[in-house]
Amino acid sequence: MRSISSSIVIAAALALSACSNPSGMGWGSGGAGGIGGAASSDPTSAAYFQETVGDRVLFAVDESTLSDTARATLEAQARWLMSNPEYEAVIEGHADEQGTREYNLALGARRASAVQEFLVARGVSPARLKTVSYGKERPIEICSVEACYAKNRRAVTVVTAGLGS
Amino acid sequence: MIARILTLFLVLALGAGLAPAQAQDGPLRIVIDEGVIEPLPVAVPDFVAEDARAADYARNIARVVAADLAGTGLFREIPEEAHLTTVTSFASPVQFSDWKAINAQALITGAVGLDGSGRLTVKFRLFDVFAEAPLGDGLQFGGPATSWRRVAHKVADQVYSRITGESGYFDSRVVFVAERGPKNARQKRLAIMDYDGANVQFLTDASALVLAPRFSPTGDRVLFTSYESGFPRIYLMDVASTRRRALDEQSGTMTFAPRFAPDGQRVVFSLSQGGNTDIYMLDLRSGQRMRLTSAPSIETAPSFAPDGQQIVFESDRSGSQQLYVMPVTGGEPRRISFGQGRYGTPVWSPRGDLIAFTKQNKGRFHIGVMRTDGSEERLLTASFLDEGPTWAPNGRVIMFTRETSGAQGAPSLYTVDITGRNLRQVSLQGAASDPAWSPLLP
């Protein structure tokens, strides 16, 4: 039950941030999409993967090496992906704001690739995995101290069911 | 007095480390080091309207000329309230005594005509007041009334050029990224503006994240990175039509950090594949792609020397971000940055003599310049986050992004002289980042 309510909280927060963006002057209301509304109690749902399996791993400053904690999370991700073959995943690499734009894009690519390699080594078909780097463009935490930076230096495995090709 | 004006600006050039051997002129250098250079007092009375319909233009053009000059920090405008005379006729002799009395060393007079088809004609003259003589010939510019700001910038470029001996940079544009929304849901659009922040126009909508636009050498095309495919890819846009096309769409790769070669026909950029980022060159005519670096490290942010023979870029092959120069053919890179901290986003000056960069050291960011061999590093700015320098067409001024810290942090555009003086925020509504300065417009 606890995880269900936290899923609702996340969805509500995303809706709020979308609303706080008035769409005048051709700016539209783009931005990050939300997570599907599936209940995370269903172990084959994307929400379950996100919350219970754990969709993200964190990195040290300017590093793309996987920590022990990260490896444990990725082991669980690999198991889930192996038992839910209808899902594909895009692995997003991110950096904190302490760095230049281009370098952080390249650093995010390294992080996403480190995750991809780990999952492939655990048996996930590379055809199911894509990587993308957002560099420092998509922080989830917005303060400018290490507590936020630590959460922004991440690779997030975003799973989607039933994509073609 | 002309000589005195010219001397003053020669001194400024020397202080900037631009001049060669004569730079060893002792007393003048002391003046610079002590920072007591006074901006040159200039009077820019309203231009004379040759037609009642031209009155607003006559006033506004003079204001833009004065703002351009004062914005350099090299000139100080004597406010209109202090003027003893009103210029009512462009042809009448100048009453130099009235301008001397308020210590105007330079005087700009002008006249504006507007014909029935909406075409402006702007004439101007520049005077050395204490010499009681014109500085150069009177000149006339014409253009549609809607381009009145460009005409004003052209007048200011002429004045700047005659007094400093350097080419101007006012009649130019800047392409940049307009930003909006909170830090964790930022929307970004490509936009273009006059160098002074006027006439902002959007080139893309907010549907896809866009980064780091770069002008072609003729200013009519723009390279940029967009996530419209879901992955970062480089695009080429025609500025006038805003039509764009993807330049490299290989599945499983990401491309970013594009920049034109001086010939406008080739593009250098970064390509990431399997977590490794290297530098490639694409020939726009043939579509042929050539790999320039092959290292397991990050190689990115390439920028051509204006002679087209060398490329400066950043790499962490030594263990941290540093600057390297390699031949355009892709030979062995030579490291040029050796100071403390990390160096990124190198950009070769249009004069060819300097490389501007972003430096990160002890938790602070700086915009700096160094010679192309890495010597004479000078840091021009310092803040929580300064990055992404771009050169004014005359290589004297650098524009860059400064982002403030914290949850409400947002980027703005700033300019700074290569002497480190005259730091100014570009006047813009809303947040902005990633500026790229155009060449001087034709």
Side-chain angles (χ1 to χ4, degrees):
Chain A
M1 270 322 279
R2 200 185 307 143
S3 52
I4 291 176
S5 58
S6 85
S7 143
I8 291 165
V9 169
I10 289 170
L14 287 166
L16 272 179
S17 75
C19 292
S20 67
N21 260 337
S23 60
M25 304 300 287
W27 278 91
S29 59
I35 308 132
S40 57
S41 54
D42 172 3
T44 68
S45 70
Y48 181 90
F49 176 84
Q50 187 193 29
E51 288 152 32
T52 308
V53 176
D55 67 345
R56 64 198 56 201
V57 297
L58 304 180
F59 295 88
V61 175
D62 200 20
E63 288 292 338
S64 55
T65 313
L66 299 170
S67 67
D68 289 345
T69 314
R71 288 169 163 276
T73 303
L74 295 178
E75 294 280 6
Q77 285 190 8
R79 281 194 302 274
W80 189 89
L81 285 165
M82 295 299 281
S83 51
N84 292 282
E86 71 277 22
Y87 280 90
E88 297 192 330
V90 175
I91 303 156
E92 301 176 350
H94 298 268
D96 65 32
E97 68 189 2
Q98 315 167 86
T100 48
R101 203 174 309 288
E102 295 85 350
Y103 183 85
N104 278 346
L105 280 173
L107 179 59
R110 266 184 186 163
R111 288 173 174 162
S113 182
V115 168
Q116 182 185 37
E117 281 169 22
F118 188 97
L119 295 176
V120 169
R122 290 300 181 274
V124 181
S125 163
R128 295 171 63 197
L129 303 174
K130 287 181 174 157
T131 58
V132 63
S133 174
Y134 283 95
K136 61 176 173 177
E137 307 304 320
R138 288 285 179 257
I140 44 167
E141 299 292 335
I142 59 176
C143 72
S144 294
V145 296
E146 176 55 22
C148 285
Y149 293 160
K151 291 179 184 163
N152 289 334
R153 293 189 300 265
R154 67 203 193 276
V156 183
T157 306
V158 180
V159 296
T160 323
L163 277 186
S165 75
Chain B
M1 208 53 198
I2 293 176
R4 190 153 91 76
I5 291 174
L6 291 176
T7 304
L8 174 63
F9 283 93
L10 179 60
V11 169
L12 286 170
L14 296 177
L18 292 170
Q22 317 95 290
Q24 300 314 313
D25 195 322
L28 298 181
R29 279 176 68 92
I30 290 167
V31 170
I32 288 296
D33 291 346
E34 290 177 353
V36 292
I37 287 294
E38 281 293 316
L40 186 86
V42 58
V44 193
D46 288 356
F47 285 11
V48 177
E50 294 186 325
D51 179 305
R53 291 169 306 167
D56 284 349
Y57 293 111
R59 170 161 187 80
N60 293 338
I61 287 172
R63 292 303 87 224
V64 170
V65 171
D68 282 346
L69 295 173
T72 65
L74 304 178
F75 297 84
R76 173 174 64 79
E77 191 198 5
I78 298 175
E80 199 175 0
E81 305 85 79
H83 297 184
L84 303 176
T85 329
T86 310
V87 178
T88 51
S89 159
F90 183 64
S92 307
V94 170
Q95 298 302 315
F96 287 110
S97 56
D98 287 345
W99 301 105
K100 280 183 201 170
I102 59 171
N103 195 33
Q105 297 201 23
L107 168 70
I108 300 162
T109 64
V112 180
L114 180 64
D115 71 15
S117 65
R119 194 177 162 76
L120 280 179
T121 312
V122 179
K123 294 179 278 197
F124 84 95
R125 288 202 183 100
L126 171 63
F127 295 95
D128 180 333
V129 169
F130 285 81
E132 301 195 0
L135 199 52
D137 296 329
L139 264 185
Q140 178 171 322
F141 296 103
T146 48
S147 304
W148 67 270
R149 292 187 71 94
R150 279 202 61 192
V151 177
H153 293 318
K154 286 210 174 292
V155 171
D157 275 328
Q158 277 291 324
V159 171
Y160 177 93
S161 178
R162 288 180 190 185
I163 294 182
T164 66
E166 307 198 22
S167 63
Y169 59 89
F170 308 124
D171 186 25
S172 60
R173 298 206 283 179
V174 171
V175 62
F176 65 102
V177 174
E179 302 200 10
R180 182 161 156 157
K183 222 168 161 179
N184 57 353
R186 201 56 62 79
Q187 293 181 299
K188 297 194 173 196
R189 301 172 70 182
L190 280 198
I192 194 167
M193 65 181 189
D194 296 353
Y195 96 98
D196 58 1
N199 291 327
V200 172
Q201 288 175 277
F202 293 108
L203 302 176
T204 63
D205 62 25
S207 59
L209 180 64
V210 288
L211 305 173
R214 308 293 180 207
F215 269 115
S216 66
T218 45
D220 55 345
R221 291 170 298 159
V222 166
L223 290 164
F224 64 104
T225 302
S226 169
Y227 280 71
E228 68 178 68
S229 69
F231 299 87
R233 301 214 187 287
I234 57 173
Y235 289 78
L236 177 64
M237 175 184 280
D238 173 67
V239 174
S241 67
T242 72
R243 269 200 297 273
R244 65 187 185 276
R245 67 179 170 102
L247 291 182
D248 197 292
E249 297 186 280
Q250 268 202 116
S251 172
T253 68
M254 294 173 254
T255 51
F256 54 97
R259 215 182 266 277
F260 277 99
D263 63 10
Q265 300 294 346
R266 290 168 300 161
V267 170
V268 278
F269 62 99
S270 269
L271 183 146
S272 290
Q273 187 164 27
N276 181 34
T277 301
D278 273 302
I279 294 171
Y280 289 72
M281 185 155 62
L282 175 73
D283 188 308
L284 290 176
R285 284 166 299 194
S286 66
Q288 206 164 33
R289 195 170 75 177
M290 186 165 93
R291 185 169 185 163
L292 299 185
T293 65
S294 286
S297 43
I298 289 172
E299 276 71 38
T300 188
S303 167
F304 267 93
D307 68 3
Q309 297 305 303
Q310 299 185 90
I311 292 170
V312 64
F313 64 99
E314 61 173 77
S315 166
D316 70 346
R317 60 184 62 192
S318 72
S320 76
Q321 245 178 310
Q322 299 292 337
L323 306 184
Y324 294 79
V325 170
M326 67 179 169
V328 66
T329 46
E332 191 56 36
R334 176 169 44 89
R335 179 169 165 180
I336 62 165
S337 63
F338 291 96
Q340 281 210 323
R342 304 164 60 151
Y343 296 78
T345 77
V347 195
W348 219 297
S349 147
R351 293 170 184 251
D353 58 342
L354 296 172
I355 289 168
F357 55 84
T358 305
K359 178 168 176 166
Q360 225 180 315
N361 191 27
K362 295 175 182 158
R364 301 277 285 172
F365 280 75
H366 309 268
I367 300 298
V369 292
M370 57 174 60
R371 294 205 171 271
T372 59
D373 62 2
S375 65
E376 295 181 40
E377 174 180 327
R378 279 201 313 273
L379 298 183
L380 309 179
T381 72
S383 92
F384 166 73
L385 181 44
D386 286 349
E387 75 169 302
T390 180
W391 289 93
N394 71 353
R396 265 209 72 101
V397 180
I398 288 170
M399 191 178 289
F400 61 97
T401 307
R402 169 166 289 181
E403 188 148 0
T404 51
S405 75
Q408 303 303 318
S412 339
L413 307 185
Y414 279 77
T415 55
V416 67
D417 210 82
I418 55 168
T419 58
R421 284 196 288 268
N422 200 34
L423 177 72
R424 282 165 191 261
Q425 185 172 355
V426 178
S427 164
L428 269 179
Q429 293 238 310
S433 63
D434 290 2
W437 215 315
S438 80
L440 211 50
L441 298 175

